[in-house]
Amino acid sequence: MRRARLDRVWWLVTPGNPLKDTGRLPSMAERMDNARQLARHPRMIVTDLEARLRTRYTIDLIRRLTRMRPNVRFVLVIGADNWATIHRWGDWREIVETVPVVVVDRPGASLKALNSPAARTFARYRIDASDAACIASLKPPAWVFLTGRRSPLSSTELRRNRRDTRTGTESPAAESAV
């Protein structure tokens, strides 16, 4: 948020990733509650907007939001692990051509992300991390790769840690998070 000079970040708790098995996901209410506990910043808003708008794919949400709020400059913030596989998303090129993208480095995903089909396709639209503060004002396509302190935890690991905390057992992921 700070480096990209974003006014706020919407933490989208999705109904479920179409590319993953969602059968064992906790309820939306539980995932919303968990995200709120992690998002301890007044300008970070945890929302179930995708479920409420009934959008299944990111591009559908982006289309709706840009129509509903044409004067808002939306920016997609995703992890490097997602940037590495965004070419598998529905209408992925349109996503990158509609909103600027901030790619946040993730452990083990740097090389895959920077050599991904999306990174190669949009290589000439990548801006230097030192210019990240202007990303929201750029006409898409535009993307930036941000590095910094990284957490190895995924949403799956965070849910596992929460379960382990409730049952009183300790998990290796919980130890690495300390």
Side-chain angles (χ1 to χ4, degrees), residues 1 3-12 58 61-62 65-66 69 71-78 83 95-96 98-104 127 132-140 142-146:
M1 187 180 337
R3 289 177 64 193
R5 294 233 175 99
L6 302 177
D7 294 332
R8 66 185 50 92
V9 170
W10 293 355
W11 181 328
L12 298 170
T58 301
L61 179 64
I62 289 171
L65 289 174
T66 55
R69 301 280 193 255
N71 296 323
V72 173
R73 293 178 302 195
F74 290 101
V75 175
L76 178 64
V77 179
I78 62 174
W83 184 247
I95 293 170
V96 180
T98 304
V99 294
V101 180
V102 172
V103 181
V104 180
I127 66 167
C134 72
I135 191 77
S137 65
L138 296 178
K139 183 178 184 287
W143 67 283
V144 63
F145 188 83
L146 297 181

Side-chain angles (χ1 to χ4, degrees), residues 11 26 28-39 46 158-159 162 166:
W11 181 328
M28 178 64 82
E30 183 177 344
R31 289 183 295 132
M32 290 280 293
D33 182 54
N34 292 343
R36 282 188 189 105
Q37 289 179 35
L38 292 171
V46 175
L158 290 169
R159 284 191 298 274
R162 188 156 169 83
R166 280 184 268 172

Side-chain angles (χ1 to χ4, degrees), residues 40-86:
R40 295 185 191 132
H41 193 285
R43 292 185 298 140
M44 185 172 283
I45 298 137
V46 175
T47 180
D48 61 351
L49 187 62
E50 286 181 298
R52 287 187 285 123
L53 292 177
R54 296 195 166 131
T55 54
R56 180 162 166 81
Y57 299 103
T58 301
I59 189 58
D60 296 330
L61 179 64
I62 289 171
R63 287 173 183 150
R64 292 276 300 271
L65 289 174
T66 55
R67 272 196 315 267
M68 291 168 52
R69 301 280 193 255
N71 296 323
V72 173
R73 293 178 302 195
F74 290 101
V75 175
L76 178 64
V77 179
I78 62 174
D81 49 337
N82 281 320
W83 184 247
T85 61
I86 197 171

